[in-house]
Amino acid sequence: MRSAARGSMSRRALRRLRGEQRGQEEPGLGELGLEPGTETETGGEWPQPAAKARGRHGVSNRFELITSEEPEDDLSSREERADARLKEHDVAEGSNEEPTPEEEEHSGQRDGKGRNQPDQTPVLNNKPRKKKKKRKTKKTSAGEALEDDDLEDIDSLLEKIEDTNGLSQETQSGIIADSRPLLYIEHRNLNPENELKRYFGARAVLGDQRPRQRQRQYVRSTWLTAPKNTWPRYSKTGIAMQLVETRRGVQYFTFEHHREYQQVQFKFLDAVESMDPNNIVLLLQMNPYHVDSLLQLSDVCRMQEDQEMARDLVERALYSLECAFHPVFSLTSGSCRLDYRRPENRAFYLALFKHLMFLEKRGCPRTALEFCKLILSLDPENDPLCVLLMIDFLSLRAREYAFLTRMFQEWESHRNLSQLPNFAFSVPLAYFFLSQQEEHSELELSQAREKAARLIQLALIMFPSVLMPLLDHCSVQPDARVASHSFFGLNAQISQPPALNQLTSLYVGRTHSLWKDPAVMAWLETNVHEVLRMVDARDPLVEESEHKRKMRYQSAPRNIYRHVILSEMKEATAALPLEVTSQPVMGFDPLPPLDSIISYTRPERTNHPSNESTLSLFFRSLLPNFNLQGDIRHDGDEEAGAGQDLNQGVNRLMAAMRDMLANIQFQEPPRDDNPEGDGDWD
């Protein structure tokens, strides 16, 4: 045994003297009758399975290659390639780290050092492991900067993927050759932060929000709005979405209110009838995600000039509704429908519209345009909120001229968009802006100018009452010929039907700022004089347009009135008819459809609330039909009218007594200076 130990020790010592390490013995090819380097029948050599041999014998240094029998030229070329890769990796990573022992070993070989050691080059399969190690060390040194850059890189990569997916390609003429539907929605365009980042940069918009978001509790990912840390914890509200039917590839959905949500809805209606916003606040404290309460309180905050709180409440309502989406309900496909006649669906329409208005005021027209397309895609045939009256304005503000011209070309044949004043004037304005883009060819620019001139002349002939109010809003004085001509004079505004007056007032009040450009005014002046020449020449088109105006605009549909109320344009609101302004309009459901589909009704309140005041109970004992909240018992028309008059009279009496009681001040009884038992101690 001693002799065997001596023999083994001598072999280890011999390997050290030769510069060999354990595991460098030749693999067992000799057992097969083949030696490494022997020629085969084809004239080549058998490859040496060096990697397999190292795996079996457990080489201590995994970055070694057994290359003792390779030519020196191949060795030098492989070393140069490996060194070049390492240098490129270091430059890309921006690393200032010290070289690893393997790199020092290779540098020593290039400098002529360590020639007695076996030649070693890094294995290419281990390169990703070295990258991972360097990235970890970098993140510890500059963690926050790296995280911000990584997030920005992710955003840019997502934009590149969507831009290069082959679905949308913009030609030089500015018209999109797009295979997607017209109302296709992109998720990235629903986030206003993406638009603001394009204007001001990611750091200016996000600031220090990212570290806080990482520490926040897990919340559901949503597209319409991002949940905030200041919001109450979300729990199921009792709203659900159901798939009603599928026809011709179009899916029809509806929201449903469960029994517990219906009870909250009844309490909300009671709070609205009380005309006290504090009751809605109390209801939201118990049910922080009740949608109609959030929308109604948002209107109250907006009237009190608290725009930030009003916007936050609308976003919370959107978040509550999105959490109730059906699994197959898609925001982007444009093939999902919601029937506005169902009261449960109206809150989603109104929340989207109010959110859109806040986005436009915030300076995010591109995001507002995407929400406008979303509202239109929910019911493009009926358009219950009539967003067609503002989609042209948002397209011009967002400089999406190609979308506006494409919509006009595809929908004009079956929707008669040219009969709306906003499309009649905005589409030629879009063509004019396209003709001012110098990156297009001269042929394309001339075609855009011709289309713009032809369409603006048709618009001026069809709607002559738009010109003078538009110039007045732009603070532009027309020349003598235009001011004295009867075609654009005061008679054009007086003689038009009231419904057309509402449309023109709405368009002028909303889009007059887009016409203030001097180049636009010069182009408009040229075409106005051309229209006057056609009028003086008694062109038959002028008389035909006048006949259309008198026949087509007798009365506006209900969705236009609803749009005017929600838009709150002073010029258009003043032109509303009396039958609209005389009835109460609720912010959570303005002008409900006359053919509404009611799924559940509010029960008659037989049990009176227990928190009534003593005075209210006293009047109820005297007058059994008395109802402080103003409910009318529908036992008959005459009894209902009598009950209403009685309630109004008693309510006036109650208001007077409330004022009287509020002014009564009770004085505390005077205290004795020396009460009994409160003397000095002896």
Side-chain angles (χ1 to χ4, degrees):
M1 293 181 63
R2 291 182 180 178
S3 61
R6 290 195 188 99
S8 62
M9 292 176 63
S10 62
R11 283 196 295 272
R12 284 197 295 270
L14 183 61
R15 281 199 301 269
R16 291 195 189 97
L17 291 176
R18 291 179 180 178
E20 298 177 355
Q21 295 183 4
R22 188 175 183 180
Q24 289 186 351
E25 299 89 287
E26 296 293 339
L29 296 178
E31 299 175 0
L32 300 176
L34 293 173
E35 295 294 333
T38 58
E39 296 184 359
T40 61
E41 295 179 358
T42 58
E45 290 186 357
W46 285 90
Q48 302 181 22
K52 187 177 292 186
R54 287 196 307 275
R56 288 177 181 175
H57 298 285
V59 179
S60 60
N61 188 355
R62 293 182 297 171
F63 292 92
E64 292 176 352
L65 276 178
I66 303 175
T67 56
S68 58
E69 296 186 6
E70 291 186 2
E72 294 181 0
D73 295 338
D74 295 340
L75 279 174
S76 60
S77 62
R78 290 180 63 181
E79 289 176 0
E80 290 174 0
R81 288 196 298 269
D83 294 337
R85 292 190 186 97
L86 286 174
K87 289 180 180 179
E88 292 175 358
H89 174 67
D90 291 339
V91 171
E93 291 287 326
S95 176
N96 295 325
E97 299 170 352
E98 297 181 359
T100 60
E102 290 80 14
E103 295 171 352
E104 291 180 352
E105 188 176 355
H106 295 306
S107 64
Q109 291 179 2
R110 288 193 297 271
D111 295 338
K113 299 178 182 179
R115 292 173 182 171
N116 296 329
Q117 300 178 358
D119 298 330
Q120 298 173 352
T121 56
V123 178
L124 299 181
N125 292 336
N126 289 310
K127 185 178 178 183
R129 189 168 300 183
K130 183 176 280 188
K131 274 188 177 180
K132 187 174 181 181
K133 181 179 179 181
K134 289 191 175 183
R135 183 167 296 180
K136 283 184 178 179
T137 53
K138 268 200 67 179
K139 191 172 288 189
T140 55
S141 60
E144 295 182 358
L146 239 178
E147 290 160 3
D148 291 344
D149 295 339
D150 289 345
L151 289 174
E152 292 176 4
D153 293 341
I154 291 174
D155 293 340
S156 62
L157 285 174
L158 290 175
E159 292 180 1
K160 289 179 181 178
I161 290 173
E162 293 187 359
D163 291 339
T164 58
N165 58 3
L167 294 176
S168 177
Q169 296 177 355
E170 186 170 353
T171 61
Q172 292 183 353
S173 62
I175 299 177
I176 293 181
D178 201 341
S179 60
R180 297 176 299 187
L182 179 66
L183 300 179
Y184 177 82
I185 310 297
E186 294 185 13
H187 279 147
R188 62 171 181 173
N189 291 329
L190 293 175
N191 188 357
E193 289 185 354
N194 292 336
E195 184 174 5
L196 293 174
K197 283 191 290 186
R198 287 196 292 268
Y199 298 151
F200 307 107
R203 297 186 183 278
V205 174
L206 299 180
D208 297 331
Q209 294 181 10
R210 284 168 177 161
R212 289 199 299 268
Q213 287 179 355
R214 289 199 310 272
Q215 299 172 2
R216 189 181 59 193
Q217 295 180 354
Y218 173 77
V219 293
R220 181 172 178 175
S221 177
T222 53
W223 292 110
L224 298 178
T225 183
K228 300 179 181 178
N229 295 330
T230 57
W231 290 358
R233 185 179 181 85
Y234 178 80
S235 60
K236 290 187 178 181
T237 59
I239 302 180
M241 179 184 280
Q242 298 296 332
L243 176 61
V244 180
E245 59 179 342
T246 302
R247 295 199 309 264
R248 299 178 181 178
V250 179
Q251 298 172 321
Y252 294 85
F253 295 87
T254 182
F255 284 99
E256 290 183 350
H257 294 172
H258 295 165
R259 185 172 182 81
E260 60 271 15
Y261 193 89
Q262 295 179 13
Q263 299 300 323
V264 179
Q265 187 74 10
F266 298 151
K267 294 179 182 178
F268 164 73
L269 296 177
D270 294 342
V272 171
E273 290 178 355
S274 69
M275 303 300 291
D276 188 359
N278 293 323
N279 294 333
I280 302 178
V281 175
L282 294 175
L283 182 63
L284 279 176
Q285 290 179 356
M286 301 298 295
N287 306 275
Y289 286 95
H290 182 255
V291 178
D292 286 344
S293 298
L294 292 169
L295 297 179
Q296 188 70 27
L297 191 60
S298 174
D299 290 342
V300 175
C301 293
R302 186 169 43 81
M303 294 176 184
Q304 296 177 354
E305 303 298 329
D306 192 353
Q307 301 293 331
E308 187 67 25
M309 178 58 69
R311 186 179 69 187
D312 186 80
L313 292 172
V314 171
E315 292 179 358
R316 200 197 301 180
L318 278 178
Y319 178 74
S320 176
L321 290 168
E322 188 172 0
C323 290
F325 278 178
H326 193 274
V328 299
F329 183 81
S330 174
L331 294 172
T332 61
S333 64
S335 60
C336 297
R337 303 287 185 265
L338 285 175
D339 193 348
Y340 192 81
R341 294 176 300 171
R342 297 181 180 271
E344 297 89 345
N345 297 336
R346 295 172 197 165
F348 188 53
Y349 279 91
L350 297 172
L352 289 174
F353 191 92
K354 294 175 185 293
H355 187 57
L356 178 155
M357 299 296 292
F358 283 118
L359 288 172
E360 194 273 328
K361 294 177 181 178
R362 190 181 175 186
C364 301
R366 183 65 185 87
T367 310
L369 174 62
E370 209 70 9
F371 274 90
C372 189
K373 291 162 58 179
L374 175 58
I375 297 174
L376 186 58
S377 69
L378 296 177
D379 193 355
E381 291 80 14
N382 300 314
D383 191 11
L385 300 186
C386 207
V387 293
L388 280 177
L389 296 179
M390 68 183 309
I391 196 170
D392 60 303
F393 166 67
L394 296 175
S395 301
L396 292 175
R397 278 211 58 194
R399 300 181 180 179
E400 293 290 329
Y401 311 127
F403 168 77
L404 181 57
T405 54
R406 180 192 172 190
M407 186 176 192
F408 182 75
Q409 292 170 2
E410 293 185 7
W411 285 25
E412 168 62 18
S413 59
H414 65 282
R415 298 295 290 268
N416 291 326
L417 296 182
S418 60
Q419 302 306 305
L420 295 174
N422 58 312
F423 271 93
F425 281 87
S426 293
V427 172
L429 185 59
Y431 277 114
F432 173 76
F433 286 136
L434 286 174
S435 68
Q436 302 298 308
Q437 297 178 354
E438 299 178 354
E439 62 269 16
H440 300 161
S441 64
E442 185 59 34
L443 177 61
E444 293 166 345
L445 295 179
S446 62
Q447 291 177 352
R449 283 192 293 267
E450 291 176 1
K451 289 182 180 179
R454 177 171 55 85
L455 291 176
I456 192 62
Q457 292 172 15
L458 291 176
L460 289 170
I461 292 175
M462 185 66 193
F463 307 106
S465 60
V466 174
L467 180 63
M468 288 304 180
L470 182 62
L471 296 179
D472 185 36
H473 278 76
C474 296
S475 302
V476 174
Q477 184 67 28
D479 56 15
R481 182 189 178 191
V482 177
S484 60
H485 204 285
S486 60
F487 186 72
F488 294 113
L490 186 61
N491 186 32
Q493 303 178 34
I494 297 176
S495 61
Q496 70 179 359
L500 182 57
N501 188 24
Q502 295 161 13
L503 295 176
T504 56
S505 301
L506 183 67
Y507 176 73
V508 172
R510 175 175 283 157
T511 61
H512 63 87
S513 59
L514 301 174
W515 294 82
K516 291 184 177 181
D517 188 2
V520 174
M521 277 297 166
W523 164 73
L524 180 62
E525 181 182 7
T526 303
N527 290 281
V528 166
H529 286 286
E530 180 64 24
V531 168
L532 289 180
R533 186 193 64 78
M534 297 172 64
V535 172
D536 295 339
R538 296 187 179 278
D539 192 303
L541 183 61
V542 178
E543 184 177 356
E544 180 183 353
S545 300
E546 183 179 0
H547 179 70
K548 289 180 180 179
R549 286 197 301 272
K550 293 180 179 180
M551 296 298 295
R552 293 183 177 178
Y553 303 96
Q554 295 299 321
S555 62
R558 198 171 179 86
N559 61 342
I560 291 182
Y561 294 148
R562 196 178 294 123
H563 177 87
V564 172
I565 292 173
L566 291 173
S567 300
E568 297 182 350
M569 301 293 299
K570 296 180 180 179
E571 297 84 356
T573 306
L576 286 174
L578 183 61
E579 60 268 16
V580 175
T581 57
S582 60
Q583 57 180 311
V585 178
M586 297 298 177
F588 67 94
D589 190 9
L591 296 181
L594 301 178
D595 55 347
S596 298
I597 302 176
I598 305 299
S599 59
Y600 65 94
T601 57
R602 182 184 179 189
E604 296 184 0
R605 292 179 299 170
T606 56
N607 296 326
H608 302 289
S610 59
N611 57 351
E612 284 187 332
S613 63
T614 305
L615 195 60
S616 176
L617 294 173
F618 171 73
F619 274 98
R620 190 177 302 283
S621 65
L622 296 178
L623 304 171
N625 292 329
F626 170 75
N627 187 359
L628 185 60
Q629 281 74 18
D631 280 354
I632 303 172
R633 300 183 180 181
H634 301 283
D635 296 332
D637 295 338
E638 297 180 357
E639 293 182 3
Q644 184 177 11
D645 295 339
L646 181 61
N647 285 336
Q648 291 178 355
V650 174
N651 285 336
R652 286 195 295 268
L653 176 62
M654 287 288 298
M657 295 189 67
R658 257 191 237 107
D659 294 337
M660 180 184 69
L661 293 175
N663 295 325
I664 296 177
Q665 296 180 357
F666 297 95
Q667 296 182 356
E668 296 182 358
R671 295 182 179 179
D672 296 334
D673 294 334
N674 294 318
E676 296 180 358
D678 191 14
D680 296 334
W681 292 93
D682 294 336

mmCIF file of all heavy atoms in Angstrom, residues 91-106:
data_model
loop_
_atom_site.group_PDB
_atom_site.id
_atom_site.type_symbol
_atom_site.label_atom_id
_atom_site.label_comp_id
_atom_site.label_asym_id
_atom_site.label_seq_id
_atom_site.Cartn_x
_atom_site.Cartn_y
_atom_site.Cartn_z
ATOM 1 N N VAL A 91 -18.070 47.795 -23.271
ATOM 2 C CA VAL A 91 -18.479 49.126 -23.743
ATOM 3 C C VAL A 91 -19.989 49.277 -23.665
ATOM 4 O O VAL A 91 -20.527 50.302 -23.261
ATOM 5 C CB VAL A 91 -17.974 49.331 -25.190
ATOM 6 C CG1 VAL A 91 -18.563 50.598 -25.766
ATOM 7 C CG2 VAL A 91 -16.457 49.393 -25.201
ATOM 8 N N ALA A 92 -20.733 48.209 -24.066
ATOM 9 C CA ALA A 92 -22.195 48.285 -24.023
ATOM 10 C C ALA A 92 -22.714 48.411 -22.613
ATOM 11 O O ALA A 92 -23.668 49.112 -22.341
ATOM 12 C CB ALA A 92 -22.800 47.045 -24.697
ATOM 13 N N GLU A 93 -22.086 47.725 -21.690
ATOM 14 C CA GLU A 93 -22.542 47.780 -20.311
ATOM 15 C C GLU A 93 -22.039 49.022 -19.585
ATOM 16 O O GLU A 93 -22.561 49.394 -18.544
ATOM 17 C CB GLU A 93 -22.068 46.536 -19.552
ATOM 18 C CG GLU A 93 -22.742 45.248 -19.984
ATOM 19 C CD GLU A 93 -24.163 45.201 -19.494
ATOM 20 O OE1 GLU A 93 -24.431 45.716 -18.417
ATOM 21 O OE2 GLU A 93 -25.012 44.665 -20.227
ATOM 22 N N GLY A 94 -21.044 49.692 -20.125
ATOM 23 C CA GLY A 94 -20.490 50.862 -19.448
ATOM 24 C C GLY A 94 -19.852 50.517 -18.136
ATOM 25 O O GLY A 94 -19.929 51.269 -17.174
ATOM 26 N N SER A 95 -19.251 49.346 -18.053
ATOM 27 C CA SER A 95 -18.753 48.847 -16.776
ATOM 28 C C SER A 95 -17.356 49.357 -16.524
ATOM 29 O O SER A 95 -16.510 49.401 -17.417
ATOM 30 C CB SER A 95 -18.778 47.323 -16.794
ATOM 31 O OG SER A 95 -18.213 46.829 -15.614
ATOM 32 N N ASN A 96 -17.116 49.764 -15.278
ATOM 33 C CA ASN A 96 -15.781 50.161 -14.835
ATOM 34 C C ASN A 96 -15.221 49.169 -13.843
ATOM 35 O O ASN A 96 -14.406 49.512 -12.995
ATOM 36 C CB ASN A 96 -15.839 51.555 -14.181
ATOM 37 C CG ASN A 96 -16.237 52.618 -15.178
ATOM 38 O OD1 ASN A 96 -15.864 52.535 -16.348
ATOM 39 N ND2 ASN A 96 -17.005 53.603 -14.739
ATOM 40 N N GLU A 97 -15.674 47.923 -13.944
ATOM 41 C CA GLU A 97 -15.264 46.954 -12.954
ATOM 42 C C GLU A 97 -13.860 46.453 -13.244
ATOM 43 O O GLU A 97 -13.336 46.584 -14.354
ATOM 44 C CB GLU A 97 -16.234 45.769 -12.961
ATOM 45 C CG GLU A 97 -17.654 46.156 -12.625
ATOM 46 C CD GLU A 97 -18.581 45.004 -12.883
ATOM 47 O OE1 GLU A 97 -18.103 44.013 -13.457
ATOM 48 O OE2 GLU A 97 -19.748 45.112 -12.499
ATOM 49 N N GLU A 98 -13.277 45.891 -12.240
ATOM 50 C CA GLU A 98 -11.962 45.298 -12.390
ATOM 51 C C GLU A 98 -12.080 43.995 -13.142
ATOM 52 O O GLU A 98 -13.085 43.303 -13.063
ATOM 53 C CB GLU A 98 -11.349 45.046 -11.009
ATOM 54 C CG GLU A 98 -11.116 46.315 -10.215
ATOM 55 C CD GLU A 98 -10.494 46.026 -8.878
ATOM 56 O OE1 GLU A 98 -10.276 44.824 -8.598
ATOM 57 O OE2 GLU A 98 -10.218 46.970 -8.145
ATOM 58 N N PRO A 99 -11.072 43.645 -13.923
ATOM 59 C CA PRO A 99 -11.152 42.395 -14.690
ATOM 60 C C PRO A 99 -11.167 41.204 -13.767
ATOM 61 O O PRO A 99 -10.614 41.211 -12.679
ATOM 62 C CB PRO A 99 -9.884 42.442 -15.553
ATOM 63 C CG PRO A 99 -8.951 43.345 -14.826
ATOM 64 C CD PRO A 99 -9.812 44.359 -14.163
ATOM 65 N N THR A 100 -11.826 40.167 -14.228
ATOM 66 C CA THR A 100 -11.893 38.922 -13.480
ATOM 67 C C THR A 100 -10.575 38.187 -13.592
ATOM 68 O O THR A 100 -9.741 38.501 -14.460
ATOM 69 C CB THR A 100 -13.026 38.053 -14.034
ATOM 70 O OG1 THR A 100 -12.742 37.780 -15.403
ATOM 71 C CG2 THR A 100 -14.361 38.782 -13.951
ATOM 72 N N PRO A 101 -10.343 37.184 -12.749
ATOM 73 C CA PRO A 101 -9.081 36.431 -12.852
ATOM 74 C C PRO A 101 -8.894 35.796 -14.207
ATOM 75 O O PRO A 101 -7.773 35.723 -14.704
ATOM 76 C CB PRO A 101 -9.230 35.390 -11.737
ATOM 77 C CG PRO A 101 -10.172 35.990 -10.767
ATOM 78 C CD PRO A 101 -11.112 36.811 -11.573
ATOM 79 N N GLU A 102 -9.978 35.362 -14.841
ATOM 80 C CA GLU A 102 -9.814 34.773 -16.170
ATOM 81 C C GLU A 102 -9.321 35.805 -17.170
ATOM 82 O O GLU A 102 -8.469 35.530 -18.014
ATOM 83 C CB GLU A 102 -11.150 34.188 -16.640
ATOM 84 C CG GLU A 102 -11.602 32.944 -15.886
ATOM 85 C CD GLU A 102 -12.225 33.316 -14.561
ATOM 86 O OE1 GLU A 102 -12.527 34.515 -14.379
ATOM 87 O OE2 GLU A 102 -12.382 32.435 -13.709
ATOM 88 N N GLU A 103 -9.852 37.072 -17.073
ATOM 89 C CA GLU A 103 -9.406 38.104 -17.997
ATOM 90 C C GLU A 103 -7.956 38.469 -17.748
ATOM 91 O O GLU A 103 -7.196 38.734 -18.686
ATOM 92 C CB GLU A 103 -10.308 39.335 -17.855
ATOM 93 C CG GLU A 103 -11.740 39.069 -18.280
ATOM 94 C CD GLU A 103 -12.655 40.213 -17.933
ATOM 95 O OE1 GLU A 103 -12.178 41.116 -17.239
ATOM 96 O OE2 GLU A 103 -13.797 40.189 -18.351
ATOM 97 N N GLU A 104 -7.545 38.511 -16.467
ATOM 98 C CA GLU A 104 -6.124 38.775 -16.187
ATOM 99 C C GLU A 104 -5.252 37.670 -16.759
ATOM 100 O O GLU A 104 -4.160 37.928 -17.284
ATOM 101 C CB GLU A 104 -5.924 38.874 -14.674
ATOM 102 C CG GLU A 104 -6.560 40.111 -14.052
ATOM 103 C CD GLU A 104 -6.329 40.146 -12.557
ATOM 104 O OE1 GLU A 104 -5.814 39.147 -12.022
ATOM 105 O OE2 GLU A 104 -6.656 41.177 -11.960
ATOM 106 N N GLU A 105 -5.739 36.444 -16.707
ATOM 107 C CA GLU A 105 -4.956 35.335 -17.215
ATOM 108 C C GLU A 105 -4.762 35.455 -18.721
ATOM 109 O O GLU A 105 -3.663 35.277 -19.236
ATOM 110 C CB GLU A 105 -5.678 34.032 -16.872
ATOM 111 C CG GLU A 105 -4.859 32.796 -17.196
ATOM 112 C CD GLU A 105 -5.580 31.551 -16.734
ATOM 113 O OE1 GLU A 105 -6.634 31.696 -16.100
ATOM 114 O OE2 GLU A 105 -5.063 30.456 -17.003
ATOM 115 N N HIS A 106 -5.843 35.848 -19.435
ATOM 116 C CA HIS A 106 -5.711 35.998 -20.880
ATOM 117 C C HIS A 106 -4.849 37.193 -21.236
ATOM 118 O O HIS A 106 -4.087 37.155 -22.199
ATOM 119 C CB HIS A 106 -7.102 36.148 -21.505
ATOM 120 C CG HIS A 106 -7.932 34.909 -21.342
ATOM 121 N ND1 HIS A 106 -7.501 33.681 -21.749
ATOM 122 C CD2 HIS A 106 -9.153 34.732 -20.789
ATOM 123 C CE1 HIS A 106 -8.415 32.775 -21.459
ATOM 124 N NE2 HIS A 106 -9.438 33.389 -20.870
#
